[in-house]
Coordinates of all heavy atoms in Angstrom, one line a residue:
A1014 N 255.2 121.7 168.1 CA 253.9 122.4 168.3 C 254.0 123.8 168.4 O 255.1 124.4 168.8 CB 253.2 121.8 169.6
L1015 N 253.0 124.5 168.1 CA 253.0 126.0 168.1 C 252.2 126.3 169.4 O 251.7 125.6 170.1 CB 252.2 126.7 166.9 CG 252.7 126.2 165.6 CD1 252.0 127.1 164.5 CD2 254.3 126.4 165.5
M1016 N 252.4 127.7 169.8 CA 251.6 128.1 171.1 C 251.2 129.5 170.7 O 251.6 130.3 169.8 CB 252.7 128.2 172.2 CG 253.8 129.2 171.9 SD 254.8 129.4 173.4 CE 253.8 130.4 174.5
I1017 N 250.2 130.0 171.6 CA 249.5 131.3 171.4 C 250.1 132.2 172.6 O 249.9 131.7 173.7 CB 248.0 131.2 171.3 CG1 247.6 130.4 170.1 CG2 247.3 132.5 171.5 CD1 246.1 130.1 169.9
T1018 N 250.5 133.4 172.2 CA 250.9 134.1 173.4 C 249.9 135.1 173.9 O 248.8 135.2 173.3 CB 252.2 135.0 172.8 OG1 251.7 136.1 172.0 CG2 253.2 134.2 172.1
D1019 N 250.2 135.8 174.9 CA 249.3 136.7 175.5 C 249.0 138.0 174.7 O 248.1 138.9 175.1 CB 249.7 137.2 176.9 CG 250.9 138.0 177.0 OD1 251.5 138.2 175.9 OD2 251.4 138.2 178.1
E1020 N 249.6 138.1 173.5 CA 249.2 139.1 172.5 C 247.9 138.8 171.8 O 247.3 139.7 171.1 CB 250.3 139.3 171.5 CG 251.5 139.9 172.1 CD 252.7 139.9 171.3 OE1 252.9 140.7 170.3 OE2 253.6 138.9 171.5
C1021 N 247.4 137.5 171.9 CA 246.1 137.2 171.3 C 245.0 138.1 171.7 O 244.9 138.4 172.9 CB 245.8 135.7 171.8 SG 244.2 135.2 171.3
I1022 N 244.3 138.5 170.6 CA 243.1 139.4 170.8 C 241.8 138.8 170.8 O 240.7 139.4 170.7 CB 243.1 140.5 169.8 CG1 243.1 140.0 168.4 CG2 244.4 141.4 170.0 CD1 242.9 141.0 167.3
N1023 N 241.8 137.4 170.9 CA 240.6 136.6 171.0 C 239.7 136.8 169.8 O 238.5 137.1 170.0 CB 239.8 136.9 172.3 CG 240.7 136.4 173.4 OD1 241.5 135.4 173.3 ND2 240.5 137.0 174.7
C1024 N 240.3 136.9 168.6 CA 239.4 137.3 167.5 C 238.6 136.1 166.9 O 237.8 136.2 166.0 CB 240.4 137.8 166.4 SG 241.3 136.5 165.5
D1025 N 238.9 134.9 167.5 CA 238.1 133.7 167.2 C 238.4 133.1 165.6 O 237.7 132.3 165.3 CB 236.6 133.9 167.2 CG 236.2 134.5 168.5 OD1 236.9 134.1 169.7 OD2 235.1 135.3 168.6
V1026 N 239.4 133.7 165.0 CA 239.5 133.2 163.7 C 240.3 131.9 163.5 O 239.9 131.0 162.6 CB 240.3 134.4 162.8 CG1 240.9 133.7 161.5 CG2 239.5 135.6 162.5
C1027 N 241.3 131.6 164.3 CA 242.0 130.4 164.2 C 241.3 129.1 164.6 O 241.5 128.1 164.0 CB 243.3 130.6 164.9 SG 243.1 130.8 166.7
E1028 N 240.5 129.3 165.6 CA 240.0 128.0 166.2 C 239.2 127.1 165.3 O 239.5 125.9 165.3 CB 239.0 128.5 167.5 CG 238.6 127.3 168.4 CD 237.3 126.7 167.9 OE1 236.6 127.5 167.2 OE2 237.0 125.6 168.1
P1029 N 238.3 127.7 164.5 CA 237.6 126.8 163.6 C 238.4 126.2 162.5 O 238.1 125.2 161.8 CB 236.4 127.5 163.0 CG 236.8 129.0 163.2 CD 237.8 129.0 164.5
E1030 N 239.5 126.8 162.2 CA 240.4 126.4 161.1 C 241.4 125.3 161.3 O 242.1 124.9 160.4 CB 241.1 127.7 160.5 CG 240.1 128.7 159.9 CD 239.2 128.2 158.9 OE1 239.5 127.4 158.0 OE2 238.0 128.6 158.9
C1031 N 241.6 125.0 162.6 CA 242.6 124.0 163.0 C 242.2 122.6 162.6 O 241.1 122.2 163.0 CB 242.9 124.0 164.5 SG 244.0 122.7 165.0
P1032 N 242.9 121.9 161.8 CA 242.5 120.6 161.2 C 242.5 119.6 162.4 O 241.9 118.5 162.3 CB 243.4 120.3 160.1 CG 244.7 121.0 160.5 CD 244.1 122.4 161.2
N1033 N 243.2 119.8 163.4 CA 243.4 118.9 164.6 C 242.5 119.3 165.8 O 242.7 118.6 166.9 CB 244.9 118.8 165.0 CG 245.7 118.2 163.8 OD1 245.2 117.3 163.2 ND2 246.8 118.7 163.6
E1034 N 241.8 120.3 165.7 CA 241.0 120.8 166.9 C 241.9 120.9 168.1 O 241.6 120.5 169.2 CB 239.8 119.9 167.2 CG 238.9 119.8 166.1 CD 237.5 118.9 166.3 OE1 237.4 118.4 167.5 OE2 236.8 118.7 165.4
A1035 N 243.0 121.5 167.8 CA 244.0 121.7 168.9 C 243.8 123.1 169.6 O 244.4 123.3 170.7 CB 245.5 121.6 168.3
I1036 N 243.1 124.0 169.0 CA 242.9 125.4 169.5 C 241.6 125.5 170.4 O 240.5 125.0 169.9 CB 242.9 126.3 168.4 CG1 244.2 126.2 167.6 CG2 242.7 127.9 169.0 CD1 244.2 127.1 166.4
S1037 N 241.7 126.0 171.6 CA 240.4 126.3 172.3 C 240.6 127.5 173.1 O 241.7 128.0 173.3 CB 240.2 125.0 173.3 OG 241.3 124.9 174.2
M1038 N 239.5 128.0 173.7 CA 239.6 129.2 174.6 C 240.3 128.8 175.8 O 239.7 127.9 176.5 CB 238.2 129.8 174.7 CG 238.2 131.2 175.4 SD 239.1 132.4 174.4 CE 239.4 133.6 175.7
G1039 N 241.2 129.6 176.3 CA 241.8 129.4 177.6 C 241.2 130.4 178.6 O 240.1 130.8 178.4
E1040 N 241.8 130.6 179.7 CA 241.2 131.4 180.8 C 241.1 132.9 180.3 O 240.2 133.5 180.6 CB 242.1 131.4 182.0 CG 241.8 130.1 182.9 CD 242.5 130.1 184.3 OE1 242.7 131.1 184.7 OE2 242.7 128.9 184.7
E1041 N 242.2 133.3 179.5 CA 242.2 134.8 179.2 C 242.3 134.9 177.6 O 241.8 135.9 177.1 CB 243.3 135.6 179.8 CG 243.1 135.6 181.3 CD 244.3 136.4 182.0 OE1 244.8 137.3 181.4 OE2 244.6 136.0 183.1
F1042 N 242.9 133.9 176.9 CA 243.0 134.0 175.6 C 243.2 132.5 175.0 O 243.2 131.6 175.8 CB 244.2 134.8 175.2 CG 245.5 134.4 175.9 CD1 246.4 133.6 175.4 CD2 245.8 135.2 177.1 CE1 247.5 133.2 176.1 CE2 247.0 134.9 177.7 CZ 247.8 133.9 177.3
Y1043 N 243.2 132.5 173.7 CA 243.2 131.2 173.1 C 244.5 130.4 173.4 O 245.4 131.0 173.6 CB 242.9 131.3 171.6 CG 241.5 131.4 171.2 CD1 240.9 132.6 171.2 CD2 240.7 130.2 171.1 CE1 239.4 132.7 170.9 CE2 239.4 130.3 170.6 CZ 238.8 131.5 170.6 OH 237.3 131.6 170.3
Q1044 N 244.4 129.1 173.4 CA 245.5 128.3 173.6 C 245.6 127.1 172.6 O 244.5 126.7 172.1 CB 245.5 127.7 175.0 CG 244.3 126.9 175.3 CD 244.0 126.6 176.8 OE1 244.7 127.1 177.7 NE2 243.1 125.7 177.1
I1045 N 246.8 126.5 172.6 CA 247.0 125.3 171.7 C 247.3 124.2 172.4 O 248.4 124.3 173.3 CB 248.1 125.6 170.6 CG1 247.5 126.7 169.5 CG2 248.5 124.3 169.8 CD1 248.6 127.2 168.6
E1046 N 246.7 123.0 172.3 CA 247.0 121.8 173.1 C 248.2 121.2 172.3 O 248.0 120.7 171.1 CB 245.8 120.9 173.1 CG 246.1 119.5 173.6 CD 246.9 119.4 174.7 OE1 246.5 120.0 175.8 OE2 247.9 118.7 174.9
H1047 N 249.4 121.2 172.9 CA 250.6 120.8 172.1 C 250.5 119.4 171.7 O 251.1 119.1 170.6 CB 251.8 121.1 172.9 CG 251.9 120.2 174.2 ND1 252.4 118.9 174.1 CD2 251.7 120.5 175.4 CE1 252.4 118.4 175.3 NE2 251.9 119.4 176.1
S1048 N 249.8 118.5 172.4 CA 249.8 117.1 172.0 C 248.9 116.9 170.7 O 249.0 115.9 170.0 CB 249.3 116.3 173.1 OG 248.0 116.5 173.3
K1049 N 248.1 118.0 170.3 CA 247.3 117.8 169.1 C 247.9 118.7 167.9 O 247.4 118.4 166.8 CB 245.8 118.2 169.4 CG 245.1 117.3 170.4 CD 243.7 117.8 170.4 CE 242.8 116.9 171.4 NZ 241.4 117.6 171.4
C1050 N 248.8 119.5 168.1 CA 249.2 120.3 167.1 C 250.4 119.7 166.4 O 251.5 119.5 166.9 CB 249.6 121.7 167.7 SG 250.5 122.9 166.5
T1051 N 250.1 119.5 165.0 CA 251.2 118.9 164.2 C 251.7 120.1 163.4 O 252.5 119.8 162.4 CB 250.6 117.9 163.2 OG1 249.6 118.5 162.4 CG2 249.9 116.8 163.9
E1052 N 251.5 121.3 163.7 CA 252.0 122.4 162.9 C 251.4 122.4 161.4 O 252.0 122.8 160.5 CB 253.5 122.7 162.9 CG 254.1 122.8 164.4 CD 255.6 123.0 164.4 OE1 256.2 123.3 163.4 OE2 256.1 122.6 165.6
C1053 N 250.4 121.7 161.5 CA 249.6 121.4 160.3 C 250.2 120.4 159.3 O 249.6 120.2 158.2 CB 249.2 122.6 159.5 SG 247.7 123.5 160.3
V1054 N 251.2 119.8 159.6 CA 251.8 118.6 159.0 C 250.9 117.6 158.8 O 250.2 117.2 159.7 CB 253.1 118.1 159.7 CG1 253.6 116.8 158.9 CG2 254.2 119.2 159.6
G1055 N 250.7 117.1 157.5 CA 249.8 116.1 157.2 C 248.5 116.6 156.7 O 247.7 115.9 155.9
H1056 N 248.2 117.9 156.9 CA 247.0 118.5 156.4 C 247.3 119.6 155.4 O 246.5 119.7 154.3 CB 246.2 119.1 157.6 CG 245.7 118.1 158.5 ND1 244.5 117.4 158.2 CD2 246.1 117.7 159.8 CE1 244.2 116.5 159.2 NE2 245.2 116.7 160.2
F1057 N 248.2 120.6 155.8 CA 248.5 121.7 154.9 C 249.9 122.0 154.8 O 250.7 121.6 155.7 CB 247.8 123.0 155.6 CG 246.3 122.9 155.6 CD1 245.6 122.5 157.0 CD2 245.4 123.1 154.5 CE1 244.3 122.4 156.9 CE2 244.1 122.9 154.6 CZ 243.5 122.6 155.8
D1058 N 250.4 122.8 153.8 CA 251.8 123.1 153.8 C 252.1 124.2 154.8 O 253.3 124.2 155.1 CB 252.0 123.7 152.2 CG 251.8 122.7 151.2 OD1 252.0 121.5 151.5 OD2 251.6 123.0 150.0
E1059 N 251.3 125.0 155.2 CA 251.6 126.0 156.1 C 250.6 125.9 157.4 O 249.5 125.5 157.2 CB 251.4 127.4 155.6 CG 252.3 127.7 154.3 CD 253.8 127.8 154.6 OE1 254.0 128.2 155.9 OE2 254.6 127.6 153.8
P1060 N 251.1 126.3 158.6 CA 250.2 126.3 159.8 C 249.1 127.3 159.4 O 249.2 128.5 159.2 CB 251.1 126.8 160.9 CG 252.5 126.5 160.4 CD 252.5 126.7 158.9
Q1061 N 247.9 126.7 159.5 CA 246.6 127.5 159.3 C 246.4 128.7 160.1 O 246.1 129.8 159.8 CB 245.5 126.7 159.1 CG 245.4 125.6 158.0 CD 245.6 126.2 156.7 OE1 244.6 126.7 156.1 NE2 246.8 126.1 156.1
C1062 N 246.7 128.4 161.5 CA 246.4 129.5 162.5 C 247.4 130.6 162.3 O 247.0 131.8 162.3 CB 246.6 128.9 163.9 SG 248.1 128.1 164.2
V1063 N 248.7 130.4 161.9 CA 249.6 131.4 161.6 C 249.3 132.2 160.3 O 249.3 133.4 160.5 CB 251.1 130.7 161.5 CG1 252.1 131.9 161.1 CG2 251.6 130.1 162.7
Q1064 N 248.8 131.5 159.4 CA 248.4 132.3 158.1 C 247.3 133.3 158.4 O 247.2 134.3 157.8 CB 247.8 131.1 157.1 CG 248.8 130.2 156.7 CD 249.8 130.8 155.5 OE1 249.2 131.1 154.5 NE2 251.0 130.7 155.8
L1065 N 246.4 132.9 159.3 CA 245.2 133.7 159.6 C 245.3 134.7 160.7 O 244.6 135.7 160.7 CB 244.1 132.7 160.0 CG 243.6 131.9 158.8 CD1 242.7 130.7 159.4 CD2 242.8 132.6 157.7
C1066 N 246.2 134.4 161.6 CA 246.2 135.4 162.8 C 246.5 136.8 162.5 O 247.7 137.0 161.8 CB 247.3 134.8 163.8 SG 247.3 135.8 165.4
P1067 N 245.7 137.8 162.8 CA 246.0 139.1 162.5 C 247.1 139.9 163.2 O 247.5 140.8 162.9 CB 244.6 139.9 162.7 CG 244.0 139.0 163.8 CD 244.5 137.6 163.6
V1068 N 247.4 139.3 164.3 CA 248.4 139.9 165.2 C 249.8 139.1 165.3 O 250.6 139.4 166.1 CB 247.9 140.2 166.6 CG1 246.8 141.2 166.5 CG2 247.4 139.0 167.3
A1069 N 249.8 137.9 164.6 CA 251.2 137.2 164.6 C 251.6 136.8 166.0 O 252.7 137.1 166.4 CB 252.3 138.0 163.8
C1070 N 250.7 136.2 166.7 CA 251.0 135.9 168.1 C 251.2 134.3 168.3 O 250.9 133.7 169.4 CB 250.0 136.4 169.0 SG 248.3 135.7 168.9
I1071 N 251.5 133.6 167.3 CA 251.6 132.1 167.2 C 252.9 131.6 166.9 O 253.2 131.2 165.8 CB 250.5 131.4 166.5 CG1 249.1 132.2 166.6 CG2 250.4 130.0 166.8 CD1 248.0 131.6 165.8
P1072 N 253.9 131.6 167.9 CA 255.3 131.1 167.6 C 255.4 129.6 167.9 O 254.4 129.0 168.4 CB 256.1 131.9 168.7 CG 255.2 132.0 169.7 CD 253.8 132.2 169.2
V1073 N 256.5 129.0 167.6 CA 256.8 127.6 168.0 C 256.9 127.6 169.5 O 257.4 128.5 170.2 CB 258.1 127.1 167.4 CG1 258.5 125.8 168.0 CG2 258.1 127.1 165.9
N1074 N 256.3 126.6 170.1 CA 256.3 126.4 171.6 C 257.7 125.9 172.0 O 258.0 124.9 171.6 CB 255.2 125.3 172.0 CG 255.1 125.2 173.4 OD1 256.0 125.4 174.3 ND2 253.9 124.9 173.9
P1075 N 258.5 126.6 172.7 CA 259.9 126.4 172.9 C 260.0 125.1 173.8 O 261.0 124.4 173.8 CB 260.4 127.6 173.7 CG 259.2 128.3 174.2 CD 258.1 128.1 173.2
A1076 N 258.9 124.8 174.4 CA 259.0 123.6 175.2 C 258.6 122.3 174.5 O 258.7 121.1 175.0 CB 258.0 123.6 176.4
H1077 N 258.2 122.5 173.2 CA 257.7 121.4 172.4 C 258.2 121.6 170.9 O 257.3 121.7 170.0 CB 256.2 121.2 172.3 CG 255.7 120.9 173.8 ND1 255.8 119.7 174.4 CD2 255.1 121.7 174.7 CE1 255.3 119.7 175.5 NE2 254.9 121.0 175.9
V1078 N 259.5 121.7 170.8 CA 260.1 121.8 169.4 C 260.2 120.5 168.9 O 260.7 119.5 169.5 CB 261.5 122.4 169.5 CG1 262.2 122.5 168.1 CG2 261.4 123.8 170.1
E1079 N 259.6 120.2 167.6 CA 259.6 119.0 167.0 C 260.1 119.0 165.5 O 259.8 120.0 164.8 CB 258.0 118.4 167.1 CG 257.6 118.1 168.5 CD 256.1 118.4 168.6 OE1 255.7 119.5 168.4 OE2 255.4 117.5 168.8
S1080 N 260.6 118.0 165.1 CA 261.2 117.8 163.7 C 259.9 117.5 162.8 O 258.8 117.1 163.3 CB 262.1 116.7 163.5 OG 261.4 115.5 163.7
R1081 N 260.0 117.6 161.5 CA 258.9 117.3 160.6 C 258.5 115.9 160.7 O 257.3 115.5 160.7 CB 259.3 117.7 159.2 CG 258.2 117.8 158.2 CD 258.5 118.3 156.9 NE 257.3 118.1 156.0 CZ 256.4 119.0 155.9 NH1 256.4 120.1 156.7 NH2 255.2 118.8 155.2
E1082 N 259.6 115.0 160.9 CA 259.2 113.5 161.1 C 258.4 113.4 162.4 O 257.4 112.5 162.3 CB 260.5 112.8 161.2 CG 261.3 112.7 159.9 CD 261.9 114.0 159.3 OE1 262.3 114.8 160.2 OE2 261.9 114.1 158.1
M1083 N 258.7 113.9 163.5 CA 258.0 113.8 164.8 C 256.5 114.3 164.5 O 255.5 113.8 165.0 CB 258.6 114.6 165.8 CG 260.0 114.0 166.2 SD 260.9 115.2 167.3 CE 260.0 115.2 168.8
L1084 N 256.5 115.4 163.8 CA 255.1 116.0 163.5 C 254.2 115.0 162.6 O 253.1 114.9 162.8 CB 255.2 117.4 162.9 CG 255.9 118.4 163.9 CD1 256.2 119.7 163.1 CD2 254.9 118.9 165.0
M1085 N 254.9 114.4 161.6 CA 254.3 113.5 160.9 C 253.8 112.2 161.7 O 252.7 111.7 161.5 CB 255.1 113.0 159.7 CG 254.4 112.1 158.7 SD 252.8 112.7 158.1 CE 253.3 113.9 156.7
Q1086 N 254.6 111.8 162.5 CA 254.3 110.6 163.5 C 253.1 111.1 164.3 O 252.1 110.2 164.5 CB 255.5 110.3 164.4 CG 256.6 109.6 163.7 CD 256.2 108.3 163.0 OE1 255.4 107.5 163.5 NE2 256.5 108.0 161.7
K1087 N 253.0 112.3 164.8 CA 251.9 112.8 165.6 C 250.7 112.7 164.8 O 249.6 112.3 165.2 CB 252.2 114.2 166.2 CG 251.2 114.6 167.2 CD 251.3 116.0 167.6 CE 252.7 116.4 168.4 NZ 252.6 117.8 168.8
Y1088 N 250.8 113.2 163.6 CA 249.6 113.3 162.7 C 249.1 111.9 162.5 O 247.9 111.7 162.5 CB 250.0 113.9 161.3 CG 249.0 113.6 160.1 CD1 247.8 114.2 160.1 CD2 249.4 112.6 159.2 CE1 246.9 114.0 159.0 CE2 248.5 112.4 158.1 CZ 247.3 113.0 158.0 OH 246.5 112.8 157.1
L1089 N 250.0 111.0 162.3 CA 249.5 109.6 162.0 C 248.9 109.0 163.2 O 247.8 108.3 163.1 CB 250.7 108.7 161.6 CG 251.4 108.9 160.2 CD1 252.6 108.3 159.9 CD2 250.3 108.8 159.0
R1090 N 249.4 109.3 164.5 CA 248.9 108.9 165.7 C 247.4 109.4 165.8 O 246.5 108.7 166.2 CB 249.6 109.2 166.9 CG 250.9 108.3 167.3 CD 251.3 108.6 168.7 NE 251.6 109.9 169.0 CZ 252.8 110.6 168.7 NH1 253.7 109.9 168.1 NH2 252.9 111.8 169.1
L1091 N 247.3 110.7 165.6 CA 246.0 111.4 165.8 C 245.0 110.8 164.8 O 243.8 110.6 165.1 CB 246.2 112.9 165.6 CG 246.8 113.7 166.7 CD1 247.3 115.1 166.3 CD2 246.0 113.7 168.0
T1092 N 245.3 110.6 163.6 CA 244.4 110.1 162.6 C 244.0 108.7 162.8 O 243.0 108.3 162.6 CB 244.9 110.4 161.1 OG1 246.2 109.9 161.0 CG2 244.8 111.8 160.8
A1093 N 245.0 107.9 163.3 CA 244.6 106.5 163.7 C 243.7 106.5 164.9 O 242.8 105.6 164.9 CB 245.9 105.8 164.1
A1094 N 243.8 107.4 165.8 CA 243.0 107.4 167.0 C 241.5 107.9 166.8 O 240.6 107.6 167.4 CB 243.6 108.2 168.1
A1095 N 241.4 108.7 165.6 CA 240.2 109.3 165.3 C 239.1 108.4 164.7 O 239.4 107.3 164.3 CB 240.4 110.5 164.3
Ligands
SF4_2015 FE1 246.2 123.7 164.5 FE2 247.9 123.8 162.6 FE3 247.7 125.8 164.2 FE4 248.7 123.5 165.1 S1 249.6 124.9 163.4 S2 247.2 124.7 166.2 S3 247.5 122.0 163.9 S4 246.0 125.2 162.9
SF4_2016 FE1 244.3 134.9 169.0 FE2 245.5 135.0 166.7 FE3 243.7 133.0 167.1 FE4 242.8 135.5 166.8 S1 243.9 134.2 165.3 S2 242.2 134.1 168.3 S3 244.6 136.8 167.7 S4 245.7 133.4 168.2

């Protein structure tokens, strides 16, 4: 999963583009719910939020490093639950 750092300027661009609705406004800046972020695996070739973010503040969440296979499993779980 990816994460949003405190460099986020709350530009609102990424939130509507997340295919998993993993992005929401936090207390001070946007945040990513790691259990919903597949790094866009299953939906797009590249993470949409990273593509769009004007300040490049969306790195991999070091507490939730996942392989492509794990991300694909998450995608399948999320779409099965939907
Ligand atoms: Fe959403 Fe994709 Fe960004 Fe994860 S990488 S937060 S799934 S847009
Ligand atoms: Fe923050 Fe980047 Fe999302 Fe804009 S696109 S709200 S700067 S994380």
Side-chain angles (χ1 to χ4, degrees):
L1015 306 186
M1016 62 175 284
I1017 294 172
T1018 73
D1019 62 6
E1020 290 167 81
C1021 172
I1022 56 171
N1023 297 331
C1024 74
D1025 308 329
V1026 163
C1027 59
E1028 188 271 333
E1030 299 303 326
C1031 176
N1033 295 320
E1034 297 183 9
I1036 303 175
S1037 63
M1038 189 63 199
E1040 281 185 26
E1041 293 178 37
F1042 48 89
Y1043 276 85
Q1044 61 189 9
I1045 293 173
E1046 169 51 51
H1047 66 81
S1048 66
K1049 290 184 178 178
C1050 174
T1051 64
E1052 300 180 23
C1053 284
V1054 168
H1056 293 282
F1057 300 101
D1058 290 339
E1059 299 288 338
Q1061 298 298 290
C1062 55
V1063 174
Q1064 297 275 299
L1065 294 164
C1066 182
V1068 295
C1070 67
I1071 315 181
V1073 171
N1074 187 332
H1077 299 282
V1078 177
E1079 296 149 293
S1080 69
R1081 195 173 174 84
E1082 286 69 31
M1083 291 166 71
L1084 292 165
M1085 183 54 82
Q1086 288 301 318
K1087 188 191 289 188
Y1088 163 75
L1089 293 172
R1090 277 200 308 278
L1091 287 169
T1092 49

